[in-house]
Every structure is written in structure tokens, then in C-alpha cells.
Amino acid sequence: MSFLTDYRSPWMTDELDSLAELTRKFFAKESVPYFEKWAENQQVDRELWTKAGQAGLLCLSVPEEYGGGGGSFAHEAVVQYEQAFLGDSAFGNFVHSGIVAPYFTNYASEEQKQRWLPKLASGEFVGAIAMTEPGTGSDLQSIKTTAKRDGDEYVINGSKTFITNGSHADLIIVVCRTGEEGHAGISLVVVETEGLEGFSRGRVLNKIGMKGQDTRELFFQDVRVPAENILGEEGKGFIYLMQQLPQERLSIAVGAIAATEAAIQQTIDYTKQREAFGRPVFKFQNTRFELAECTTEAMAVRTFVDHCIQRHVAGELDPATASAVKYLATDKQVEIIDRCLQLFGGYGYMLEYPIARAYADARVQKIYGGTNEIMKELISRDL
């Protein structure tokens, strides 16, 4: 034990402690044994979604009247933390519950909430959000996918890439252009995929890490959806995206610090057991000093993440601070896991060791949700 593992976040409660224990047991049983299988299949088993729904681990911040847990972002953060700490980078609940569901909670009509949220909460539907395009990354104002009004329908044409839950998604929020160039012409249109003519899923993308996650390309060719599937108001999509991005970035930071702390603990355990030159690797001063520095830096990040969770639950997390915690937590995640891997020696490069998978999984954290270079730009605008 150490001051990092003994630490309890100030926003935790007895209820959240119980949720953490439930989540830990669920993922230890339903996720950890299947990492290799999912990596080979490039997706989790579909039944994992319904199992998570039955366990009450989906859409915890969705109001109870719509089938959710009736909690706050703190509940979502507990699930995200425990999943990431156990090394599960395959199950896309971070997107499903932490990103997609809040768009419906905040912007959907009453009819849409009743129609979609209960199925997301049960796992009957898997949610995804399609923002990124082959030629458009962080610059969401430049998207090309169009949704043109034709009577009582929208006709969608375009393509999206890097879509988490791309294989299983039954319900996709598609960021489309319904008007002129620039942010004022962007809207969010909800696509229900079952039997939908003109909708197709491209290849599962072969990533450096997160091998078990079904990240895919999506294609829309004259896809017709009812006009009532618009989410919120037409032309307000960019505003909605900007309002929700702070939570997405904070969620990434939660996963980052969880993976970082797990890597440190694995490395402490390994270096105390592994011997070199007749003594445990931990006995060398360089090892102890490296781990002392990593632990101290992780604690500093953890307290910043906790500060942001408290502010977000109180409705006070601003975009610049969310950008700052995302940038710092993911930068330190990549740096610290790299330092930990070094202490494993050659074994750290072997994929059967969790530290190697953590190293590969970490790198994308500095890219998605807005690159860390974009994060610094957003921070600087608030100075």
C-alpha cells in the first residue's frame, strides 16, 4: 500500500464505494478473462452489453424515469475508473453512457427520450456518435457529411471514421451539415441502423492499441431517416457538441489516471518479485526513485481530476479546465506508463504482460477527444 492506493477521492460516498465494488467484480468476471478473444475478434461479445445493463452499469446518470440509474457524472466516473484500472480498453461504455446518453438527456424531445433511453440503459441498443470524417479530425466545423431535408425525411450522404462501437451500434448520433458552411449549418441527426437501406459499416480499423474495441468506418449513401430524428434544433449541433465536450474530455482524464495508477501498482509488484544481480529489482535506487516520481506525479494528476469531477457534478466545469485536465492526465499517462514499462526490461515489450497493452492503449488518449495540441490552444484562449 502507498499514499496513492490508500487515497480516497473526496467526492466518493458509501453508495459510490458500493458501486465501485460491484463494477470491479463485474469486469473481473465478464471482461478480464476475454481480453485476448476480443482482441482477436476486434470487438467485445454483444451479450456483454445486455449483461452490463442487467447489472445496472449502463447510463447511470440518466434519470430513472427513462430506465437509467438516476445518478450523476460521479457514478459514470466510478464505472469508467474501475474498467480502466482493470485494463479493459475494449468495452465502449465510455462512449455509450458517458457521451451518447447525455445528448439524449439534454437535447432530446420527451418522445425521443422515451423511445431511446430505456433501450440504451438496458443494453438492448448500443450507442455511438459519428463526428470524425476521413478529412476532418478536430475541426468539426469542416465536416462534409450532409443531411438534406426531403419532405418528412432527411437524406444523409457521407462517411465517418474512427467510430467507437461501430460494429455493434444500433443508435448513432450523426454530425451532419444541414445548412451553409461553418458551425451554424451543423445539426445532429439520429440514425437507427437496423435494416437501414444505404447504411454500411466499413472495415474494423487495425489500431496500435485498443485491439478489442470495434472502431470502424461508417458509410451513408442516400440514407433516409424521419425528420423527427433531428436531435434538438436544426443548426444547433455545433453548440451542442461544444457543450458536451468538457464531459468527454473529463471522462478521458478519468480513464487516463486509472490506467496510470494501475501501471504503477503492477510495476511495484513486479519489481519487488523480479530479481537481478541477486536481489529484487525494487532494491536498486534507480527503481525506487523512478517509482517515487511516478507515484507523486500520478497523485498530483489524481487530485486535479478529482477537482474537476467535483466541479462538473456541481455544474461548474468550464471548457478550458476540462481541456487542461484532459491534456495533463493523458500526457502523464503516456509518460508514466513508458517509464514503468522500462522497469520490466524485455518483458515489458511482450504483449502477454498488461504493461505492454497499457503502453499501446495509452497513446491514442493524447489524440482523441481533441488532440492535446488543440487542448493547449483552448487553454491559451482563456488566459
Side-chain angles (χ1 to χ4, degrees), residues 44 49 83 89-97 127 164-165 213-214:
V44 302
W49 288 99
Q83 179 184 342
S89 62
F91 185 43
N93 185 44
F94 149 64
V95 170
H96 175 95
S97 296
T164 299
N165 298 336
Q213 191 179 101
D214 55 340

Side-chain angles (χ1 to χ4, degrees), residues 118-130:
K119 292 184 178 180
L120 290 172
S122 68
E124 180 181 347
F125 274 5
V126 174
I129 183 165

Side-chain angles (χ1 to χ4, degrees), residues 277-299:
F277 302 102
R279 55 177 172 162
V281 174
F282 187 80
K283 293 293 185 180
F284 291 96
Q285 185 185 69
N286 178 70
T287 302
R288 298 197 309 275
F289 280 18
E290 279 286 294
L291 288 169
E293 291 177 10
C294 289
T295 302
T296 303
E297 291 179 11
M299 176 57 82

Side-chain angles (χ1 to χ4, degrees), residues 2 56 151 187 216 253 266 295 297 379:
S2 69
S187 301
R216 295 187 83 134
Q266 291 164 18
T295 302
E297 291 179 11
I379 296 165

Side-chain angles (χ1 to χ4, degrees), residues 35-254:
F35 285 174
E36 290 186 13
K37 174 188 175 183
W38 293 344
E40 183 177 344
N41 294 340
Q42 295 183 297
Q43 64 181 38
V44 302
D45 297 334
R46 181 61 178 81
E47 65 180 8
L48 180 64
W49 288 99
T50 50
K51 287 182 178 180
Q54 291 166 0
L57 298 179
L58 301 181
C59 302
L60 285 168
S61 59
V62 169
E64 290 181 296
E65 58 262 40
Y66 305 115
S72 68
F73 177 77
H75 294 77
E76 303 287 3
V78 166
V79 175
Q80 291 166 9
Y81 179 92
E82 296 298 336
Q83 179 184 342
F85 191 87
L86 287 176
D88 179 4
S89 62
F91 185 43
N93 185 44
F94 149 64
V95 170
H96 175 95
S97 296
I99 298 177
V100 172
Y103 278 95
F104 292 114
T105 302
N106 288 293
Y107 310 119
S109 65
E110 182 62 26
E111 187 276 334
Q112 289 173 330
K113 291 177 182 178
Q114 295 284 357
R115 180 177 164 193
W116 290 321
L117 281 171
K119 292 184 178 180
L120 290 172
S122 68
E124 180 181 347
F125 274 5
V126 174
I129 183 165
M131 299 187 205
T132 305
E133 297 180 357
T136 304
S138 298
D139 184 11
L140 293 175
Q141 297 187 57
S142 298
I143 65 162
K144 302 299 182 186
T145 298
T146 59
K148 295 184 178 180
R149 186 70 180 261
D150 182 20
D152 293 332
E153 297 177 316
Y154 282 102
V155 182
I156 303 175
N157 281 283
S159 61
K160 299 290 184 177
T161 193
F162 307 144
I163 308 305
T164 299
N165 298 336
S167 294
H168 290 312
D170 306 281
L171 201 64
I172 305 172
I173 300 172
V174 183
V175 182
C176 301
R177 184 162 299 286
T178 54
E180 69 275 11
E181 293 297 315
H183 68 83
I186 293 175
S187 301
L188 307 182
V189 180
V190 181
V191 170
E192 297 167 278
T193 63
E194 184 177 1
L196 186 62
E197 188 175 346
F199 169 74
S200 61
R201 308 175 201 261
R203 64 192 177 99
V204 179
L205 301 171
N206 190 18
K207 307 180 296 296
I208 291 175
M210 295 188 170
K211 295 289 190 178
Q213 191 179 101
D214 55 340
T215 311
R216 295 187 83 134
E217 300 169 316
L218 304 178
F219 301 102
F220 304 86
Q221 184 174 358
D222 293 329
V223 171
R224 290 181 172 270
V225 299
E228 64 192 30
N229 280 25
I230 191 88
L231 194 61
E233 297 181 40
E234 186 175 293
K236 293 289 185 66
F238 188 79
I239 295 173
Y240 300 152
L241 291 168
M242 293 303 103
Q243 290 172 342
Q244 292 303 310
L245 279 172
Q247 175 161 312
E248 177 179 349
R249 288 161 181 165
L250 176 55
S251 295
I252 293 171
V254 171

